[in-house]
Amino acid sequence: TRGGAWYAIYFGNPGKIARISQDIFARDNLVTIGLLLLSAASVFLLILRRDRGYLLFICLCFVFLLRTIIDGSYLIYYLFPSVSFRTVICSDYISLYWLPVLCVALFRYIYPENLSLIYLKLLILYATVITVLTLALPISIFTKYIYLAELVAAVTCIYGVMKMLLLTLKRNREAYFIFTGGSALTLCVFHDLLCENNLIVTGYVELSPMGFLALAIFLQCMFWVR
């Protein structure tokens, strides 16, 4: 089990600590509202255009939203006060398993000839198996899988960004949006992974939620120019 604090502990007077908490809470609210608005717009466009890509995008936004309300200021306890600790932990881990799957599935839907179907199938198999194990095993056991999940997410980020970079260099307009948003998310994710593992100390704010929102905005822009 990964017990204890994930980040450095900050000391200060009550006012300073309160401002830090307010900043994190405001960031999470901003990201949550942004993702909800993008999802709502995508539902409308899905009905209007019947494009399956919007369905994948909505699912991706849901995973982004879930991870945002679970981490950081723990908005999930404001929204669902009675939610159990195990439910929160399982949701946190399972959303991490399926995040790379949805990213690759969406990118492959847009560029079927440039992203490997075999890689996508392997990701789906991995996510399915590890999800079943997470639901079946005690928290003290399945939390040991976090390094595997982080490795898969990191490799998938690099894989996707490099693929989109190659397409961007070929002056593919849609790939530019995906590459820009994917790069922003990748940098934010790697920042948080390094902080979680005490390899760097840069501040008290996780960047992943802002990376989620940046990627979602660029993906929405990409759909508009298709």
Side-chain angles (χ1 to χ4, degrees):
T1 305
R2 300 183 72 195
W6 285 14
Y7 297 99
I9 298 175
Y10 284 80
F11 296 92
N13 58 55
K16 180 180 179 180
I17 300 302
R19 285 193 299 273
I20 292 175
S21 297
Q22 290 170 0
D23 289 344
I24 297 174
F25 189 78
R27 179 211 61 189
D28 288 350
N29 273 285
L30 172 65
V31 173
T32 299
I33 293 172
L35 291 173
L36 287 173
L37 290 174
L38 290 170
S39 299
S42 296
V43 170
F44 173 75
L45 292 170
L46 174 63
I47 296 172
L48 188 65
R49 298 183 178 179
R50 304 291 181 179
D51 187 339
R52 190 167 62 90
Y54 284 111
L55 182 59
L56 290 170
F57 176 72
I58 293 167
C59 292
L60 189 59
C61 283
F62 174 77
V63 172
F64 287 164
L65 182 62
L66 187 60
R67 295 199 59 77
T68 299
I69 66 174
I70 288 175
D71 297 325
S73 61
Y74 301 100
L75 279 176
I76 192 169
Y77 287 112
Y78 291 91
L79 300 172
F80 309 101
S82 61
V83 66
S84 69
F85 176 72
R86 180 178 175 84
T87 299
V88 172
I89 297 299
C90 287
S91 299
D92 186 19
Y93 278 63
I94 291 173
S95 63
L96 179 59
Y97 306 153
W98 287 95
L99 179 57
V101 176
L102 290 171
C103 286
V104 172
L106 178 59
F107 297 163
R108 192 176 190 284
Y109 174 76
I110 300 169
Y111 298 107
E113 71 283 359
N114 288 289
L115 289 173
S116 171
L117 178 60
I118 295 176
Y119 186 59
L120 176 58
K121 289 182 176 180
L122 289 174
L123 280 177
I124 293 173
L125 177 62
Y126 144 80
T128 301
V129 171
I130 201 169
T131 295
V132 172
L133 291 174
T134 297
L135 295 173
L137 296 174
I139 292 176
S140 60
I141 295 179
F142 77 73
T143 49
K144 296 177 182 179
Y145 302 152
I146 186 63
Y147 296 109
L148 170 63
E150 290 178 344
L151 176 62
V152 172
V155 170
T156 302
C157 282
I158 296 173
Y159 173 75
V161 168
M162 293 305 296
K163 285 287 187 179
M164 293 304 108
L165 175 60
L166 293 176
L167 289 172
T168 300
L169 294 176
K170 294 178 181 178
R171 300 186 181 278
N172 186 295
R173 184 175 59 173
E174 296 172 357
Y176 168 79
F177 290 99
I178 302 176
F179 170 71
T180 305
S183 297
L185 176 59
T186 300
L187 291 173
C188 292
V189 167
F190 271 91
H191 168 274
D192 292 348
L193 288 177
L194 292 174
C195 287
E196 286 179 12
N197 291 283
N198 299 313
L199 298 176
I200 61 171
V201 179
T202 59
Y204 58 84
V205 177
E206 292 175 298
L207 299 182
S208 292
M210 299 305 296
F212 295 153
L213 183 58
L215 176 57
I217 290 173
F218 277 101
L219 286 175
Q220 187 69 275
C221 292
M222 182 270 300
F223 277 115
W224 277 105
V225 301
R226 290 187 73 193

